[in-house]
Amino acid sequence: MSRIAKRFEDLKAKSETAFVAFVMGGDPNFETATDLICDLPSAGVDVIEIGMPFTDPMADGTTIQLAGQRALDGGMTLQKTLETVRVFREKNNETPIVLMGYYNPIYAMGVEAFLDAAKEAGADGLIVVDLPPEEDDELCVPALAKNIDFIRLTTPTTDDARLTKVAQNTSGFVYYVSITGITGAASAAAADVAPQVARIKSATGLPVCVGFGVNTPENARDIGGVADGVVVGSAIVKMIEAKKPKSEILEFVSALSKGAKTR
């Protein structure tokens, strides 16, 4: 059983919602980002998403775009992102790690070389937002062959026919984008999210995590009541951008996690 599947199984047994936190690898530099990532589990993070910086992040809002640019300006590379995973695994062999980003850097490195390095480093899953199901042979199928989960995004505009296609090779969990548009653009509403989560679960049977628009502990609580997991990225990255101390960031992350798990 993968770390991701085990984590969701363990949480389900405790009737708990997963809290998923996104941090851009290398933001504002390798050492600071890696140090924060290593401490996220202590703040109640169940699954960590690490962003792979890219120069043209088309699905991301300004906050995440700037985070990626800060990381690239600081010398972050895909290889260094994988090194962050290796450092984390020296301290924590339980918490699942998902690498999130775009296909271009992976293609440049070489799919097989990337997947072998990601597996060796200790990554558990991938979210690659610009590879649709029609391109599964590019990365999704090879990743699954190496027991790396390939996690898909669905949106409010994903109809039933498309959902069936999206779910075909998805594993780990489904990431439901609760709003139309880019990251950090609006707040998610539980009343809108609940029926979509139920529809996705009926089509896949996988856990459904909701992100894009969760930015406060109260919002996390509301979404956590209708989903299997709550994802927060931009709200955390904004604190990094503001150069808040790690202790303050972790305190905020802990409040978000407690909100998501409040029933």
Side-chain angles (χ1 to χ4, degrees):
M1 181 180 292
S2 72
R3 287 189 189 94
I4 295 173
K6 185 177 189 307
R7 179 54 53 96
F8 278 99
E9 183 178 84
D10 290 347
L11 290 168
K12 184 177 180 180
K14 296 186 289 185
S15 298
E16 286 189 4
T17 301
F19 179 65
V20 184
F22 170 92
V23 172
M24 180 65 70
D27 176 30
N29 55 62
F30 175 85
E31 292 78 12
T32 301
T34 302
D35 183 50
L36 174 62
I37 288 167
C38 286
D39 282 345
L40 288 176
S42 68
V45 175
D46 298 299
V47 180
I48 300 171
E49 289 181 8
I50 301 178
M52 299 179 285
F54 179 49
T55 54
D56 189 21
M58 62 184 180
D60 295 319
T62 302
T63 297
I64 304 299
Q65 287 185 27
L66 290 174
Q69 193 58 56
R70 287 192 299 271
L72 293 170
D73 289 345
M76 198 62 177
T77 64
L78 183 54
Q79 288 83 355
K80 285 186 176 180
T81 305
L82 295 175
E83 182 60 25
T84 290
V85 180
R86 293 188 189 95
V87 172
F88 180 88
R89 285 286 172 241
E90 292 174 0
K91 302 177 180 181
N92 184 311
N93 199 41
E94 304 298 326
T95 303
I97 289 180
V98 176
L99 298 173
M100 185 172 186
Y102 298 82
Y103 185 47
N104 186 281
I106 296 170
Y107 178 80
M109 183 175 177
V111 168
E112 288 299 316
F114 168 76
L115 290 175
D116 287 342
K119 188 70 176 178
E120 180 272 330
D124 303 292
L126 295 173
I127 300 174
V128 182
V129 300
D130 55 347
L131 275 183
E134 288 76 12
E135 305 295 336
D136 272 359
D137 289 342
E138 286 284 330
L139 181 63
C140 174
V141 172
L144 294 175
K146 294 183 184 293
N147 296 315
I148 297 175
D149 286 320
F150 203 86
I151 296 150
R152 294 282 190 198
L153 304 180
T154 65
T155 74
T157 61
T158 304
D159 62 23
D160 289 343
R162 187 62 180 170
L163 181 57
T164 299
K165 183 71 173 177
V166 167
Q168 193 169 29
N169 288 318
T170 299
S171 62
F173 62 89
V174 176
Y175 188 141
Y176 177 62
V177 176
S178 62
I179 58 173
T180 55
I182 55 177
T183 57
S187 295
D192 298 328
V193 167
Q196 294 287 354
V197 169
R199 184 171 71 94
I200 295 166
K201 288 177 70 68
S202 68
T204 69
L206 290 170
V208 179
C209 295
V210 176
F212 280 55
V214 183
N215 45 41
T216 67
E218 294 75 21
N219 197 203
R221 179 198 62 214
D222 293 343
I223 298 300
V226 300
D228 300 299
V230 176
V231 186
V232 179
S234 293
I236 298 170
V237 173
K238 283 179 180 177
M239 297 193 73
I240 297 170
E241 181 180 12
K243 300 181 181 180
K244 298 293 185 182
K246 184 177 71 169
S247 59
E248 190 173 333
I249 296 172
L250 291 174
E251 184 178 351
F252 177 60
V253 170
S254 179
L256 290 166
S257 177
K258 289 174 182 175
K261 295 177 183 298
T262 299
R263 295 279 182 166

